[in-house]
Amino acid sequence: MSEPVIDAVDVVKFLGRGAGRLQALKGVNLSLRGGELVLLMGPSGSGKTTLLSILGCLMTPTSGMVRVRGRPVANLDPEALAKIRRDHVGFIFQSYHLFPTLTAEDNVRLALDVRGERSQSKAARDVLGMVGLAHKTKAFPHELSGGEQQRVAIARAIVGKASAILADEPTGALDAQNGQAIMTLLAEFAKDQSRGVLVVTHDPRILPFANRIVHIEDGCIVGEEVVREAKRMSMS
Amino acid sequence: MTLLKFRLAYRNLFHDRLRFIATIVGIIFSIVLVTVQMGLYVGFRRMVTTMIDHSPADLWIMPAGTKCFEDPSLLDDRQRFRALAVDGVAEAAPVVIGYAQWRLPGGTTTPVFIVGSELQGFGLRPWSLVGGRVDDLSVPGAVAIDQYYFERLGVSEIGASAEIRDQKVQLMAVTKGIRAFTTTPYVFANVDRARLYTGMLPNKASYFLVRVSPGSEVGKVGRQLQESLPDVEVLTAAGFRSRSRNFWLFGTGAGAALFAGALLGFIVGTVIVAQTLYSSTKDHLNEFATLRAIGSSGAYIYMVIIWQALLSAIIGFCGAAGISSMVVRITADTALPIVVPPAMLFALFLLTVVMCVASAIAAIVQVMRIDPATVLVR
């Protein structure tokens, strides 16, 4: 089995202050390994997004430990956390979060630009070709459909060859056909043994793409199921 | 610097064109205001020392306590002879200054400022002649004025006549560009005639211009003169220039007023740019949070904001420079021209950049507070 790309050990997270303080995560243990696509499912308010934020180094846990590629990320300052994100994590958001004033190609290039990489244009065009948007490299987000925008967001997440792709409801704003296409791309990416994909979702239509499904409720992992290839085939 | 950072900056800036235009207009007017105030300051600074600047004197002997060139008081010829007796003094030429009334051919009068000097050899003679010669002023009653004052003094050509203190004068030379910031026209004349026009006794003078012998040290001769003439002041040309400027610019408060205007322009410009960058950053906060989420460093985002500020500065400065050059041209022939030397233009550009970059601080502070996790809940 591949090494964990990201793993969380006994992660506890309190949010808010004073009377509004609440415990969003209550000792969560979760690993994302290379070569797997994990679905994180649970009802609203169960702690999915908080867990995703902590795994993606957008947030630090109140207690417990998170390791990215084996390196503990506790007590790192915001700049150090940003460096871990740009080196190891690619994000995909439900509302895409593309830059409206930049073309598809420039949106993808941004992920390389923040890493200080050169030869960005060719790499960006190559990745846009991989997600089926070779003909839309010069299009602005408002000229693209929702599915196309999400493909650009995927291209942005994978262009830097991140170890982990963390996706927050990536199909939430898409129709069934576009949702399937997006998940196919992510599943393809997760075949690489050095990379893992974690998808937070409510969408049952994407279950067939998962290698593993983790259920979270009230800040605790309440169940986990490994989906065998045969079952995946039958579900699809 | 990557092109993408710059592209993101200028697209953020140009995204809301109306706001961008308002910002640029604000910067332009702010910089034009600073330029006009500072240009007036430089123009004023030059004009108040124009006589000293065009004098060939190494040293000026003047009554103690003289504040500026136009501050008339009296020296005695005996002091001149004592000065000439000092080692290292080659020449000591009298200069007479004073106000007088110029009677126009129609009988009305207008005040003029007489500048009388030796016209042959060492002295304070008119310059930038566009008509006649300095030698022509040797004729009794001959005077030189600037062509700018023709209408005011009721003359229109060389040979024209008028009266000063009931003495007939004849215009024999014309200068261009010798204007007094006090708006009282300068009238150049022979030193003896100048005494007549100002009512000064023949053995008196306002200044003695000293030329130091070749090989003598100006400072040393100045000190010796001061020792020999303890009841007067001996200043180098630079020292007199500095004293005159200090008096007119700071003694009268004129310089402080000009500086205050420039400072006001700077503050207004800073606030306008700060407001724009702040609201632009606020509009693009979600994008900056996304940048942070995908791992950009704080410095990367600050550079985007600073590029926005620099772009505003460059575009605003170009507009301001265009308008300012028109203002400079329009005021070139007035009593107090606005003067913008190349060094000042460069300094104003740097000031614009400083103003715009300082304005970016509020936006940067706002960006520093961004929580990248917010992108997951938007």
Side-chain angles (χ1 to χ4, degrees), chain B residues 47-48 50-51 69-70 112-115 127 144-146 149 153 175 178-188:
Chain B
M47 286 197 91
V48 297
T50 186
M51 289 295 168
F69 178 79
E70 291 80 7
V112 291
F113 192 84
I114 306 293
V115 179
W127 63 96
I145 63 168
D146 196 272
Y149 298 112
L153 299 179
T175 64
I178 305 181
R179 290 189 299 277
F181 67 96
T182 56
T183 75
T184 305
Y186 287 124
V187 174
F188 289 90

Side-chain angles (χ1 to χ4, degrees), chain B residues 30 44 46 89 98 131 179 184 186 225 236 244 282 310 326:
Chain B
S30 157
F44 191 60
R46 280 189 186 176
V89 173
R179 290 189 299 277
T184 305
Y186 287 124
L225 272 171
T236 59
S244 291
K282 205 166 178 179
L310 289 176
M326 277 195 290

Side-chain angles (χ1 to χ4, degrees), chain B residues 75-139:
Chain B
L75 294 172
D76 195 277
D77 247 359
R78 281 173 300 181
Q79 290 163 316
R80 178 168 167 253
F81 298 133
R82 273 159 60 194
L84 284 167
V86 170
D87 272 354
V89 173
E91 291 185 71
V95 169
V96 168
I97 60 162
Y99 288 93
Q101 290 294 322
W102 173 285
R103 185 178 297 278
L104 279 71
T108 54
T109 59
T110 186
V112 291
F113 192 84
I114 306 293
V115 179
S117 178
E118 299 286 1
L119 296 169
Q120 305 295 325
F122 183 64
L124 179 53
R125 293 177 293 175
W127 63 96
S128 300
L129 290 174
V130 292
R133 294 172 303 149
V134 172
D135 288 347
D136 297 340
L137 298 177
S138 304
V139 177

